Amino acid sequence: MNYILFFTAFIGVFILLNMYISKRLVAKLDISPKIKRYLRIFLIINLIGILCYMLARYYVDTPSWLYFLFSVPIGILFLLFWSAVVYDISRVILSFAPISQQRRNFLKKSLDAASVAAAATLTLKSIYNAKFVEIQKVDVEIKNLKKPYKIIQLSDLHIGGLIEREFIEEIVQKANALNPDIVVITGDLIDVDVLGAKKTLAELTKLNSKFGTYYIVGNHEYFHSIEKIISAVKSLGIRVLENENVYIGEEGEGFNLAGVYDIFGYRAKKYIPNLQKALLNTKDAPTVLLAHQPLYINEVHEKVDLMLSGHTHGGQLYPFKYIVKLQQPYISGLHRHNEELQIYVNKGTGFWGPPMRLGASSEITEIVITP
């Protein structure tokens, strides 16, 4: 029943966005009725593509090329909606401008052309951007740390759909080239049934680091049998931190690495995060905490020096980050939360939904913690 309600609400939102674009952008353009009709037909086809995306993602085994065609319409609709909002505001302002009617008509046609061109350009640009993963280098000073350590953070890979074996191979090669002390994966690793991702997951066994690879679950793992995912990741030799900690480095020179379940566990009523348990028996050394959602920082009241998170994708498609900001305290990058605690939020190494990024690049984070 919950899935039916979610699906209905999801589609309902996109129908409303479609209606807004049709009435507030297409209907107001100074173009022929025939072209307007073609644009409305395009919007309908685009909406059908979104419906097919939902089926392809969760119910049907779909070839990658077809899945790509089904996933792009979500991003197209989103970018068209924001273009329509900007167009709508600009058109209203123009209608009150103290200029001649002839001048107003000229500017209105220019606005029409610019709005359509901007929507098309941003769509193509965002698809292009999603192909590239940047290395984001960050230095973090931590009190009482005895020596520097290099942490490579991967997050939100969302294996499944368009994130396949070749993509993970490339990520692993880039991570290994950075010669890390440890690799951490901060959730949303798999977004399909784990049986369909085994070959892709196996590529993670090729990650090389001095002290190993560590993983925590994100919210999406709860949607695809979290038990099976945890078991599959453990079978690869990757350490899953389940409300627990390990000591990294030589005795007296290292740091505590702790990890908690995701806060979605509160809703799922299983695999619930427990920071107290995660910090039990930590050594007298700095502590780095892995927690998928930045929002969890509001529950960190015990001594933690640095928290590493993901989840937000940096907004993925600008200006979506301002909506994400309504829920999450931090969207991307390094922030000092208080005198004792800093947080770094990875923008996501993969992507969710449409293979599109605008204003928020995919990243592999090279974090060097220093005394």
Side-chain angles (χ1 to χ4, degrees):
M1 183 61 72
N2 287 338
Y3 284 110
I4 294 173
L5 289 174
F6 171 76
F7 186 82
T8 304
F10 189 85
I11 296 303
V13 168
F14 283 114
I15 289 173
L16 290 174
L17 294 181
N18 245 37
M19 291 172 62
Y20 182 85
I21 295 166
S22 179
K23 291 180 178 297
R24 305 303 297 177
L25 176 60
V26 175
K28 304 296 181 181
L29 294 173
D30 288 329
I31 53 179
S32 70
K34 186 177 181 180
I35 296 177
K36 287 184 180 181
R37 186 164 63 251
Y38 287 149
L39 288 175
R40 289 192 174 103
I41 290 171
F42 170 78
L43 288 175
I44 292 170
I45 293 172
N46 198 69
L47 184 61
I48 292 171
I50 294 172
L51 288 167
C52 291
Y53 166 78
M54 293 297 291
L55 293 172
R57 186 164 193 88
Y58 297 105
Y59 302 108
V60 182
D61 188 16
T62 309
S64 294
W65 66 269
L66 190 56
Y67 186 85
F68 176 85
L69 292 178
F70 289 159
S71 61
V72 168
I74 295 178
I76 290 175
L77 188 64
F78 184 76
L79 292 173
L80 277 174
F81 170 71
W82 285 112
S83 297
V85 170
V86 173
Y87 174 83
D88 213 4
I89 295 170
S90 301
R91 186 179 55 80
V92 171
I93 292 172
L94 183 61
S95 67
F96 288 101
I99 55 178
S100 67
Q101 189 59 44
Q102 183 179 6
R103 181 69 172 167
R104 183 177 287 111
N105 291 340
F106 171 76
L107 291 176
K108 170 63 168 56
K109 289 180 179 179
S110 299
L111 176 63
D112 290 357
S115 298
V116 174
T121 302
L122 291 175
T123 298
L124 294 174
K125 174 65 174 170
S126 61
I127 292 172
Y128 177 78
N129 289 346
K131 296 180 179 181
F132 301 97
V133 180
E134 295 182 351
I135 307 297
Q136 190 72 44
K137 299 190 177 186
V138 183
D139 292 325
V140 183
E141 292 184 359
I142 292 182
K143 291 179 183 178
N144 302 319
L145 188 67
K146 303 302 182 185
K147 57 182 284 190
Y149 288 89
K150 184 185 290 186
I151 302 171
I152 298 303
Q153 182 188 8
L154 310 176
S155 192
D156 301 270
L157 283 160
H158 291 282
I159 291 172
L162 297 173
I163 304 294
E164 296 183 314
R165 191 172 183 174
E166 293 76 15
F167 183 87
I168 302 302
E169 279 180 351
E170 181 184 347
I171 295 302
V172 168
Q173 289 171 8
K174 288 184 175 182
N176 288 343
L178 298 172
N179 193 27
D181 289 308
I182 66 168
V183 176
V184 299
I185 304 171
T186 49
D188 283 4
L189 175 61
I190 303 174
D191 218 6
V192 292
D193 187 287
V194 71
L195 291 175
K198 278 194 170 182
K199 288 184 179 179
T200 304
L201 264 182
E203 290 299 319
L204 296 176
T205 62
K206 299 174 184 175
L207 284 167
N208 294 323
S209 62
K210 189 173 181 180
F211 299 108
T213 301
Y214 301 85
Y215 162 72
I216 57 165
V217 300
N219 57 304
H220 277 249
E221 279 83 345
Y222 291 81
F223 308 148
H224 303 282
S225 184
I226 186 171
E227 298 88 353
K228 291 181 181 178
I229 292 173
I230 289 174
S231 178
V233 173
K234 285 181 177 179
S235 72
L236 301 176
I238 293 172
R239 177 68 183 271
V240 182
L241 294 176
E242 303 181 72
N243 291 335
E244 56 188 333
N245 69 82
V246 295
Y247 186 77
I248 304 295
E250 303 296 331
E251 191 68 34
E253 295 185 342
F255 62 96
N256 302 301
L257 180 69
V260 292
Y261 295 124
D262 184 59
I263 57 176
F264 191 84
Y266 295 133
R267 290 175 57 186
K269 294 184 169 53
K270 61 180 182 179
Y271 295 92
I272 295 170
N274 185 328
L275 183 60
Q276 266 191 321
K277 184 179 177 184
L279 296 180
L280 274 178
N281 302 318
T282 52
K283 298 195 176 184
D284 184 19
T287 298
V288 176
L289 173 67
L290 309 182
H292 177 63
Q293 298 192 43
L295 186 61
Y296 189 73
I297 201 166
N298 295 326
E299 299 185 31
V300 180
H301 302 300
E302 307 205 28
K303 184 162 173 27
V304 173
D305 297 272
L306 174 65
M307 178 168 142
L308 301 181
S309 299
H311 183 67
T312 67
H313 294 216
Q316 189 161 322
L317 283 172
Y318 188 87
F320 193 67
K321 71 176 184 179
Y322 297 111
I323 297 175
V324 179
K325 184 69 174 173
L326 297 175
Q327 188 205 23
Q328 300 291 335
Y330 305 105
I331 306 302
S332 63
L334 181 66
H335 303 270
R336 178 166 289 282
H337 184 67
N338 57 39
E339 207 170 300
E340 299 294 330
L341 176 60
Q342 298 179 76
I343 179 173
Y344 185 84
V345 183
N346 179 296
K347 297 193 297 293
T349 312
F351 49 80
W352 183 86
M356 304 166 77
R357 277 188 173 270
L358 188 65
S361 59
S362 298
E363 70 171 78
I364 295 170
T365 317
E366 181 187 77
I367 301 167
V368 177
I369 54 174
T370 60

